[in-house]
Amino acid sequence: MSEATPSRYNVREAESRWQKHWQDVNAFKASDDSAKPKYYVLEMFPYPSGNIHMGHVRNYTLGDVVARAKRMQGYNVLHPMGWDAFGLPAENAAIQNNSHPGDWTLANIATMREQLKLIGLSYDWDRELATCLPDYYKYEQQFFLKFLENGLAYRKEAEVNWDPVDNTVLANEQVIEGRGWRSGALVERRKLSQWFLRISDYAEDLLSALDSLKEWPEKVRIMQDRWIGKSYGALVTLKVLCKKPGKDPIESSIDIYTTRPDTFYGMSFVAIAPEHPLAKDIAAHDPKADAFVKECSQLGTSEEAIEKAEKRGFDTGLKAVNPFTQTEHPLYIANFVLMGYGTGAVFGCPAHDERDFEFAKKYDLDIKPVVRPSDAQQQADILPYTGEGVLINSGFMDGMSIEQAKEAAIKELAARGAGQRKVNYRLRDWGVSRQRYWGCPIPIIYCDDCGAVPVPDDQLPVELPRDITFDKPGNPLDHHPTWKHVNCPSCGKKALRETDTFDTFFESSWYFARYCSPKSKEAFDTKALAYWMPVDCYIGGIEHAVLHLLYSRFFSRALNKCGVVPFTEPFKRLETQGMICHETYKSAQGKWLSPDEITPAGTGYTENATGKAVTVGRTEKMSKSKKNTVDPRHIMETYGADAARLFMLSDSPPERDLEWTDAGIEGAWRYINRLWKLVIDNKSLLETIIDGKTLSVSEPKLLAVRKATHKTIAAVTDDIEHFHFNKAVARIRELSNLLGDTRFEGQDGAFVLREALEALIVLLAPFMPHLGEELWLQLGHKETLSAASWPKADSSLMVDDSVTIAVQINGKLRATIELPKDLDKAIAEQKVLELQPIREALKDKKINKVIVVPNRIVNVVAS
C-alpha cells in the first residue's frame, strides 16, 4: 500500500484499491475449523432482477456492519451471499426479450455480483450459490422424496386460482381484484391435482416455539401467531331440513365449526362455502345455484379478495335447526365462507359479527342481540356489538360472561350429543406445485400401472430441458416433445414425468443451511452444519415475516424428522429493516416523473419537457412505476460507497423507513472528508510520539478526551450489538467533533489523540470500511484494519467524577448544576441556593424544606 499523504481524500481510487485488496487476499473467508467462537450473519438473498436498488444497499450494509464488527471482536464469521434465482419474472423476461430464462438469470447474477462488490460488503464469495443450478436443486429433490417417504408430502385435488389465458395456477398474491396480475383475465377457482407438504401437522409446534424466539421482533412473532391462527371452539352437528309442500321433511345434518357457541341464541342463518359438498350437490340439480357457485369461483382463493368482496348468498331453501332453541333458519351458499377453514360451514349471529351483520342487512334476516356491554355506560343498541359483555336473551346462559357462556354452551352441546370441544388452526398445508417452467422439477413419474413413482436417487437431479419455447400459453414443460416421456422406474413401461415445478419458497426454505458446506457432494457436511447452524443473526424485510420465515421454520423441522439436520429452529435472532422512501413528482397531466425529468424552480419544480409546474407528492416507497427510485451506481460513482452506507445507517433506526434526501447523502460525504482532514492535519503531531513512553495523563482537558473515548467504545459496542446503528454513528460523530475542537500539544497530547483516533477508526470501520482502512494506513499501521482487533473500554475511565443535578422548586425544574459525585447533602443544598436563577425565583418566598436526592435531584419546597 502507498504511504503517500494526499491532501484530499480520493474516494474512487481508495475504494477501488481496497476492494481489490480484500478480494486478492480473500480477507473474509470463513473457516470451518476454528478455535474461535462462530458467528453466522445472513441477509435474505436477492432475486437476480438485473440491478441492485437502494433497498439492497441498506439491507446488505446492515448485515455487513455486524459481520465486520464481530470479526474484529474475535469471532469466526460466516457472511455469505447467493441468489434466489427461480421464478416467474425470468419467464416473463424470456417472452419479452426472446431469450432463455437461464441465460437472463445468470447474466443478471454476474451484473449484480459486481455491483454488490462496489458496496464493500465483506462476503465470503467462495460460498456463493444460485438456486437455479442443478448442483443446488438436486438436494431439494432429495428432500422432497424423503418428505414423501416420511408422510410429509402428499398429492390431492385442491381448489386453486386458475388464469384461463396464461393457463397457470396463480398464488393468492397474484390475483388483483379478481384478475390475473399479468393477463388481466378473470380468475377462476379450479380443482387440480397438487403436491402438498404437511405444515399443518406442525401448527402447534410452530406456534408454541415462538415463545423461545426471544431475539425475534415481537411484531413478527405476533404475525406468525395470527397466521397459524389457533382458535378454541366447538364442532357442532346441526339438523338440516328439506321441506316440500305436501311431503314430510327430509332430515339430514351438517357439521359447523364456531369459536362463539355462546351466541347460538342469536343465530339467524347458516352459510356454507361454494366448494362444500352440499353446495355442489345442490348446484348439480339447480341451475341458479350452479350459476352462483360459478360466479363465486371468480373470486379465486385469496382470503383478502374474499374478505373485500360484497357479501352475497344463495338461499338453498333448506333449513338449519338451532341446537338450543330448535328454531329453523335459512341455509345459504355464501361467497365469504372458506372451505379450507373449519368445516366450510358457519352459523351467523348478525348482532355480534360485522360480516354476519352485513349479510343479514342485505337479505333482511333477523338480528337478535344476545350480549350486552358489561359497562353500563356503553351503548347496547349500536350493532354489531363485538366487545366483552354479559349474555342476555340466551336461556340458561343469561347473566354469564362470554367466556363462562362458551364453556356452558360446549357442555350443553356435548350433553345433547350435538357437539364437542374443538381446537382449530387457520394454517393450511403448503401447496408446492406450480405450472411453470423456471423452477425445480418435482421428481415424480406417473405410470398407469404403478401410480406416482419417485425418481430413483441415482437419476437425480431431474434437470430442466434447455430447448423450450414460450409460443403457447401454459407450462412449456407440458408442450416439450420429449422431456416428459420416460419409462417407469418400477415396471419399465411408458410413463410421464411430473411437469409441475416447485414453489420458489421451496428453495429459500433451506438455502441458509447449504451455505455451511456449499461444495459438499452431499446436501450438507454434518460437521460444518453442526458448527455453523443456527444462523446467529438473520436480516430482511418485514414483508417476509410470515411465508418465508414460517416455511423455513417448518422445513427445518421436516428435515430434522427425516434425520437430515440436527436443528429445528434455523434463525436464532431476526432483525427487520424498513423501506427506503423518496418524494414523488407528477406532471400537469398526472404522469409520474423521475428526478431527471424535472428542474428546481423557485420553491418548486418544473417539467423539463414542457416547462410546466410539477406537483411534489408525499414521500413513498421507492418504486419504478412511480419513478422515484435512486440509482445506487450513480450515488457510489458520485459520493462513494462509504457515503451511501453512512447515510443509510445514520439517518434512521434500521427497523424504520428511511427517507432518501440529496442533503443527507451530501452531508455524509462532507463528514467523510472531515474525518480525513482530522487525521491528515494531525499526522505531524502523531509522528513526534516517542516509542516506549507510557500514557499517563492528568491534565483535565486530555483526561476528558480519554474518558469520552472509552465511553464511546463501550456505547458503540453496545449499540452495534443491539442494532442501534444510528445511535452508534451519532456517538462516533460526537467523538470526532470533540477531537476536532480540542487543541492537542506535546507528548501527552499526541498520545491521547492517537489513542482516540485509533479507537475512532476501528469503531467507524464497520460503517465506512474503505475510509477506515485508508485512515488506518495513514496512522502508520502495517496490517490492514480488517485484521485489527476491536478496542476494549477501560472501566476506570468511564466513571464520572461529577454529575448533573436537576434543581426544582416545588417539583418544577428551574435549573441544573454540575456537582462532584456523592457530595455532602448540606454542601449540595448550599451550592443550589447560591444559584442566581434559584435566588431570583425564591425572592419573596419562604423556604420550608430542601430535599436532596444524592446525585440526582435537589427540590426546594417554598411558599
Side-chain angles (χ1 to χ4, degrees):
M1 296 288 171
S2 169
E3 296 188 1
T5 308
S7 59
R8 295 187 63 189
Y9 180 49
N10 187 337
V11 60
R12 285 192 183 181
E13 187 276 332
E15 291 191 349
S16 176
R17 174 162 39 87
W18 284 111
Q19 288 165 13
K20 183 177 185 303
H21 170 76
W22 294 329
Q23 182 170 311
D24 290 347
V25 302
N26 215 352
F28 310 118
K29 183 176 178 62
S31 170
D32 290 335
D33 186 16
S34 174
K36 296 179 180 179
K38 70 94 177 178
Y39 198 88
Y40 183 1
V41 57
L42 180 66
E43 306 92 52
M44 295 178 187
F45 63 171
Y47 182 79
S49 56
N51 289 294
I52 63 170
H53 52 68
M54 295 309 294
H56 290 132
V57 177
R58 189 184 194 197
N59 187 21
Y60 305 142
T61 299
L62 294 174
D64 199 52
V65 170
V66 176
R68 287 180 177 274
K70 289 294 182 182
R71 255 187 226 102
M72 300 174 87
Q73 290 167 12
Y75 287 86
N76 179 29
V77 173
L78 173 56
H79 188 209
M81 174 49 73
W83 312 95
D84 191 7
F86 274 137
L88 203 53
E91 289 195 26
N92 295 339
I95 294 168
Q96 293 167 8
N97 304 318
N98 195 27
S99 63
H100 190 277
D103 296 338
W104 182 85
T105 300
L106 294 177
N108 288 349
I109 287 174
T111 299
M112 292 178 68
R113 182 190 302 117
E114 294 310 307
Q115 291 174 355
L116 289 178
K117 288 180 179 179
L118 294 176
I119 308 172
L121 303 167
S122 60
Y123 289 134
D124 181 352
W125 284 104
D126 286 349
R127 295 177 185 256
E128 181 183 14
L129 58 80
T131 62
C132 65
L133 298 179
D135 63 359
Y136 180 87
Y137 67 71
K138 167 185 178 179
Y139 300 110
E140 69 184 56
Q141 291 177 345
Q142 288 181 350
F143 299 157
F144 176 77
L145 297 180
K146 285 183 181 290
F147 294 164
L148 190 61
E149 183 182 328
N150 283 271
L152 292 171
Y154 66 95
R155 189 170 182 248
K156 72 169 185 178
E157 279 201 334
E159 296 281 346
V160 297
N161 300 312
W162 181 258
D163 186 316
V165 172
D166 280 349
N167 288 318
T168 188
V169 169
L170 300 179
N172 287 336
E173 296 76 18
Q174 295 168 329
V175 179
I176 302 170
E177 296 181 354
R179 296 179 179 272
W181 68 281
R182 185 171 68 176
S183 70
L186 284 171
V187 169
E188 302 169 359
R189 289 184 196 171
R190 180 177 290 190
K191 267 204 168 183
L192 286 182
S193 288
Q194 305 274 290
W195 285 100
F196 288 83
L197 299 185
R198 294 188 191 276
I199 188 173
S200 63
D201 283 5
Y202 290 83
E204 184 58 37
D205 185 24
L206 290 165
L207 181 64
S208 61
L210 287 172
D211 290 337
S212 70
L213 300 177
K214 305 296 185 186
E215 296 182 71
W216 280 41
E218 184 180 10
K219 61 185 176 183
V220 174
R221 286 182 285 157
I222 289 172
M223 290 169 75
Q224 290 209 2
D225 185 313
R226 289 175 178 169
W227 189 266
I228 295 168
K230 184 177 183 179
S231 62
Y232 300 87
L235 182 65
V236 184
T237 300
L238 300 181
K239 289 180 185 177
V240 176
L241 303 177
C242 177
K243 292 185 173 183
K244 292 186 178 181
K247 294 185 179 181
D248 292 335
I250 299 173
E251 186 176 307
S252 61
S253 65
I254 188 170
D255 289 338
I256 66 164
Y257 173 75
T258 177
T259 58
R260 295 296 304 272
D262 56 303
T263 62
F264 259 120
Y265 276 80
M267 171 180 169
S268 67
F269 67 92
V270 167
I272 60 176
E275 302 82 25
H276 194 283
L278 178 58
K280 291 185 175 181
D281 184 54
I282 293 169
H285 300 90
D286 186 333
K288 290 183 179 179
D290 185 54
F292 180 77
V293 167
K294 286 178 179 175
E295 186 180 328
C296 290
S297 74
Q298 294 179 356
L299 282 175
T301 63
S302 164
E303 288 186 28
E304 184 180 5
I306 291 170
E307 190 64 31
K308 287 181 178 179
E310 179 191 7
K311 307 301 177 282
R312 299 183 62 239
F314 176 83
D315 189 344
T316 63
L318 301 177
K319 301 295 181 182
V321 179
N322 188 309
F324 292 151
T325 66
Q326 301 305 306
T327 51
E328 298 173 8
H329 304 278
L331 190 151
Y332 286 83
I333 301 170
N335 65 351
F336 59 83
V337 182
L338 298 168
M339 190 62 216
Y341 181 76
T343 64
V346 299
F347 85 88
C349 177
H352 305 292
D353 182 277
E354 291 182 5
R355 181 194 60 190
D356 295 350
F357 184 82
E358 180 185 338
F359 189 79
K361 280 288 189 183
K362 181 177 181 66
Y363 294 103
D364 196 25
L365 301 174
D366 290 340
I367 300 175
K368 178 184 177 183
V370 291
V371 179
R372 65 165 174 79
S374 50
D375 184 348
Q377 294 182 343
Q378 286 186 270
Q379 288 183 278
D381 58 344
I382 298 177
L383 297 177
Y385 176 70
T386 58
E388 291 298 316
V390 175
L391 272 288
I392 58 173
N393 304 323
S394 297
F396 67 94
M397 293 182 286
D398 279 351
M400 295 182 184
S401 70
I402 290 175
E403 290 307 314
Q404 290 170 337
K406 284 181 181 179
E407 286 297 312
I410 292 172
K411 286 180 181 177
E412 182 65 19
L413 287 166
R416 297 184 183 206
Q420 60 185 341
R421 189 182 307 277
K422 173 74 173 176
V423 174
N424 197 49
Y425 297 90
R426 177 175 176 267
L427 183 66
R428 307 178 196 175
D429 280 345
W430 175 12
V432 295
S433 298
R434 296 294 181 268
Q435 292 68 40
R436 52 178 173 251
Y437 165 74
W438 193 236
C440 172
I442 297 177
I444 294 291
I445 293 170
Y446 297 108
C447 173
D448 288 341
D449 293 342
C450 305
V453 181
V455 173
D457 190 72
D458 61 3
Q459 294 179 26
L460 299 179
V462 177
E463 295 191 34
L464 292 167
R466 270 198 61 88
D467 55 335
I468 46 91
T469 62
F470 293 92
D471 55 351
K472 297 178 183 176
N475 184 354
L477 294 177
D478 263 340
H479 309 144
H480 195 279
T482 60
W483 181 81
K484 66 181 179 182
H485 298 284
V486 292
N487 292 328
C488 173
S490 294
C491 68
K493 292 182 178 179
K494 289 184 178 181
L496 294 174
R497 287 195 189 281
E498 170 67 81
T499 57
D500 286 355
T501 53
F502 284 129
D503 175 12
T504 53
F505 279 116
F506 209 100
E507 285 83 57
S508 60
S509 293
W510 69 279
Y511 78 106
F512 42 83
R514 181 63 179 169
Y515 280 135
C516 299
S517 51
K519 294 180 173 58
S520 172
K521 297 302 181 185
E522 300 296 329
F524 309 114
D525 178 277
T526 306
K527 183 179 176 184
L529 200 66
Y531 176 67
W532 287 115
M533 289 298 294
V535 176
D536 293 283
C537 184
Y538 195 41
I539 304 164
I542 190 71
E543 66 272 18
H544 301 293
V546 175
L547 294 181
H548 163 57
L549 289 169
L550 191 62
Y551 288 155
S552 297
R553 294 181 63 219
F554 158 68
F555 218 88
S556 297
R557 284 163 166 76
L559 289 176
N560 178 270
K561 178 179 179 179
C562 296
V564 178
V565 302
F567 57 87
T568 55
E569 287 292 351
F571 312 120
K572 181 182 178 185
R573 176 180 179 182
L574 176 69
E575 297 289 345
T576 59
Q577 96 278 357
M579 299 181 294
I580 301 186
C581 305
H582 194 256
E583 282 184 337
T584 54
Y585 311 101
K586 270 191 175 181
S587 69
Q589 290 76 36
K591 183 181 72 172
W592 295 108
L593 299 173
S594 72
D596 295 334
E597 296 175 296
I598 62 176
T599 302
T603 58
Y605 298 91
T606 57
E607 184 181 0
N608 296 342
T610 65
K612 292 183 178 180
V614 169
T615 301
V616 179
R618 61 177 180 168
T619 299
E620 296 185 36
K621 175 187 174 183
M622 286 189 179
S623 161
K624 288 181 181 178
S625 64
K626 294 182 179 176
K627 294 191 173 183
N628 67 335
T629 58
V630 174
D631 188 346
R633 293 168 297 178
H634 169 71
I635 296 300
M636 288 187 280
E637 286 170 7
T638 306
Y639 301 103
D642 282 347
R645 291 170 62 118
L646 177 62
F647 175 58
M648 293 281 189
L649 296 165
S650 63
D651 201 60
S652 180
E655 70 276 9
R656 294 186 187 171
D657 292 348
L658 180 146
E659 182 178 350
W660 182 269
T661 64
D662 292 341
I665 186 66
E666 287 166 2
W669 168 240
R670 287 195 299 272
Y671 179 63
I672 284 172
N673 282 280
R674 284 204 303 274
L675 287 170
W676 175 260
K677 192 173 186 298
L678 177 65
V679 172
I680 299 307
D681 287 355
N682 286 288
K683 277 192 71 173
S684 57
L685 174 64
L686 298 175
E687 288 168 356
T688 67
I689 293 176
I690 301 170
D691 289 342
K693 178 176 169 59
T694 304
L695 181 59
S696 178
V697 175
S698 58
E699 184 182 346
K701 177 182 70 173
L702 296 180
L703 192 57
V705 171
R706 291 204 72 202
K707 286 188 172 186
T709 298
H710 285 268
K711 286 181 181 179
T712 303
I713 292 170
V716 170
T717 304
D718 186 69
D719 287 336
I720 291 175
E721 184 64 30
H722 292 93
F723 239 65
H724 299 158
F725 297 155
N726 58 318
K727 289 183 179 179
V729 171
R731 297 185 207 276
I732 290 169
R733 283 179 178 266
E734 286 176 7
L735 180 59
S736 65
N737 290 341
L738 175 63
L739 299 183
D741 293 341
T742 304
R743 185 178 179 85
F744 296 94
E745 298 174 305
Q747 284 291 289
D748 283 353
F751 268 101
V752 170
L753 178 59
R754 184 174 188 92
E755 178 190 41
L757 284 176
E758 290 203 347
L760 179 73
I761 292 167
V762 175
L763 294 178
L764 65 80
F767 304 89
M768 298 167 276
H770 310 86
L771 176 68
E773 292 279 17
E774 199 70 2
L775 294 178
W776 197 246
L777 184 68
Q778 294 303 324
L779 290 185
H781 289 282
K782 302 303 179 187
E783 287 192 351
T784 61
L785 179 58
S786 56
S789 296
W790 195 257
K792 293 183 178 179
D794 185 336
S795 57
S796 68
L797 289 167
M798 295 171 62
V799 179
D800 286 316
D801 296 324
S802 62
V803 290
T804 300
I805 302 292
V807 181
Q808 300 174 340
I809 296 177
N810 295 331
K812 280 191 173 184
L813 181 67
R814 294 303 183 100
T816 59
I817 184 172
E818 194 83 10
L819 294 176
K821 195 173 183 183
D822 300 323
L823 185 65
D824 180 81
K825 287 186 177 182
I827 299 174
E829 177 181 332
Q830 178 187 340
K831 294 284 187 185
V832 163
L833 294 176
E834 289 173 354
L835 287 172
Q836 182 66 26
I838 300 303
R839 284 164 52 196
E840 289 181 5
L842 291 173
K843 199 168 19 178
D844 303 326
K845 282 188 171 65
K846 178 187 174 184
I847 299 175
N848 299 322
K849 185 167 53 172
V850 178
I851 302 168
V852 179
V853 180
N855 302 319
R856 292 183 59 199
I857 296 169
V858 176
N859 183 27
V860 182
V861 181
S863 58

